[in-house]
Amino acid sequence: MAAPGTPAHRMDDADPADAGTPYPPASGGLIAGVGVDVVDVVRLTDSLARTPALVDRLLTPSERGLSDASRAARVAAKEAVGKALGHPGDFSWQDVTVERTEDARPYLVLRGATRACADRLGVAHLHLSLSHDGGVATAIVVAERGAGAGEGPARAHRRTGCRTGTDRTGTDRTKEPS
């Protein structure tokens, strides 16, 4: 047993004959992807104050009047969606909106190229968790496929990809990476 305050398992203590067991992402199955992102609330608030046009670029009309922490959580959610779908940075900020149910549970609404990518991956549900504490906003997104969604994300990406033309900076993303 390890001494108090010492990690119970360290990689340099591992048996050199045990190469380990890889657990790569599944190319099929129920989960299409998971995304997480964190945003520093003060940093985002300062950026929005310095560059007012950024508010219109990052946030949809329904998100603009929220508190600083809630706006930061929305930005984190948009980034997490891109990561869950496998292409952070390739979608328009306006393609993703966080809404709330009558009982205040957050959910995502996708439009445009982001929705098209989710459709190609067979995504039927996006599970969203938002939090903000200690000046940091966090979002976690789990993209879940529907029953009979067809091919898995790796195969779908090789076939059609989720590249959307131009990314947020105007860079052409239609070419497959080499």
Side-chain angles (χ1 to χ4, degrees), residues 150-170:
E151 56 191 15
R155 185 171 171 195
H157 179 261
R158 281 193 303 273
R159 185 176 57 78
T160 61
C162 286
R163 299 288 181 188
T164 62
T166 57
D167 68 10
R168 296 175 190 153
T169 65

Side-chain angles (χ1 to χ4, degrees), residues 66-85:
L66 298 172
S67 71
D68 293 345
S70 291
R71 291 190 304 182
R74 270 41 178 198
V75 171
K78 293 167 191 254
E79 287 287 342
V81 165
K83 292 173 182 176
L85 297 179

Side-chain angles (χ1 to χ4, degrees), residues 31-71:
I31 304 301
V34 177
V36 63
D37 197 66
V38 296
V39 172
D40 183 294
V41 176
V42 171
R43 184 174 179 201
L44 177 67
T45 302
D46 290 348
S47 294
L48 296 176
R50 266 192 323 274
T51 313
L54 203 54
V55 174
D56 292 340
R57 188 172 142 219
L58 297 179
L59 301 166
T60 60
S62 65
E63 299 169 325
R64 294 177 189 149
L66 298 172
S67 71
D68 293 345
S70 291
R71 291 190 304 182

Side-chain angles (χ1 to χ4, degrees), residues 48-163:
L48 296 176
R50 266 192 323 274
T51 313
L54 203 54
V55 174
D56 292 340
R57 188 172 142 219
L58 297 179
L59 301 166
T60 60
S62 65
E63 299 169 325
R64 294 177 189 149
L66 298 172
S67 71
D68 293 345
S70 291
R71 291 190 304 182
R74 270 41 178 198
V75 171
K78 293 167 191 254
E79 287 287 342
V81 165
K83 292 173 182 176
L85 297 179
H87 295 282
D90 284 354
F91 304 123
S92 166
W93 294 97
Q94 298 297 310
D95 281 355
V96 181
T97 303
V98 176
E99 300 286 346
R100 290 211 173 260
T101 64
E102 288 182 13
D103 61 349
R105 290 182 60 193
Y107 67 95
L108 293 155
V109 176
L110 303 185
R111 293 172 186 78
T114 309
R115 181 180 59 204
C117 180
D119 289 347
R120 279 192 297 274
L121 295 175
V123 174
H125 303 284
L126 289 168
H127 304 275
L128 172 64
S129 179
L130 300 173
S131 184
H132 43 80
D133 186 41
V136 176
T138 305
I140 298 171
V141 173
V142 177
E144 178 186 345
R145 287 191 188 85
E151 56 191 15
R155 185 171 171 195
H157 179 261
R158 281 193 303 273
R159 185 176 57 78
T160 61
C162 286
R163 299 288 181 188

